[in-house]
Amino acid sequence: MYPSGGIIAAIENAFHTTPQLVCLKGALEEVRLCLTKDFKFRDCVAASDCPEYVSLPAFASLDATKPAGRLISGAESS
C-alpha cells in the first residue's frame, strides 16, 4: 500500500502542479495531469477519489511467451 498523499507530493515536486488521482476499489487506476489550452501544466480542480492508502494494480503482459517486436529495415523485409 502507498500513501496517496505521497504520490501527489512526488508529482507536485516533479511537475509543479497538482494531479488528480482516480481509484477503483482502493487501487490507483489513473494519474491525471491537467493542462491549459496552450498545453502548460495547471492544477487539477477535481478532487481525487482515492483513499488515504492505495494499492497499485498488477501489470500482466498479454502474452509473455512472445518476444518484444522490433523494427525491420528495408534490406531485411525483402
Side-chain angles (χ1 to χ4, degrees):
M1 299 294 281
Y2 298 89
S4 56
I7 296 169
I8 291 171
I11 293 168
E12 287 174 335
N13 287 335
F15 295 98
H16 308 289
T17 189
T18 302
Q20 178 189 14
L21 303 182
V22 177
C23 290
L24 179 64
K25 297 180 183 175
L28 183 64
E29 290 287 316
E30 296 179 33
V31 175
R32 295 179 179 173
L33 295 175
C34 299
L35 305 171
T36 63
K37 289 181 181 181
D38 55 351
F39 300 104
K40 294 181 182 171
F41 289 119
R42 66 168 182 82
D43 290 340
C44 295
V45 294
S48 295
D49 66 352
C50 295
E52 187 175 351
Y53 287 88
V54 297
S55 62
L56 299 180
F59 174 78
S61 174
L62 294 177
D63 187 354
T65 62
K66 292 184 180 179
R70 64 182 180 94
L71 295 175
I72 299 173
S73 69
E76 290 178 302
S77 63
S78 332

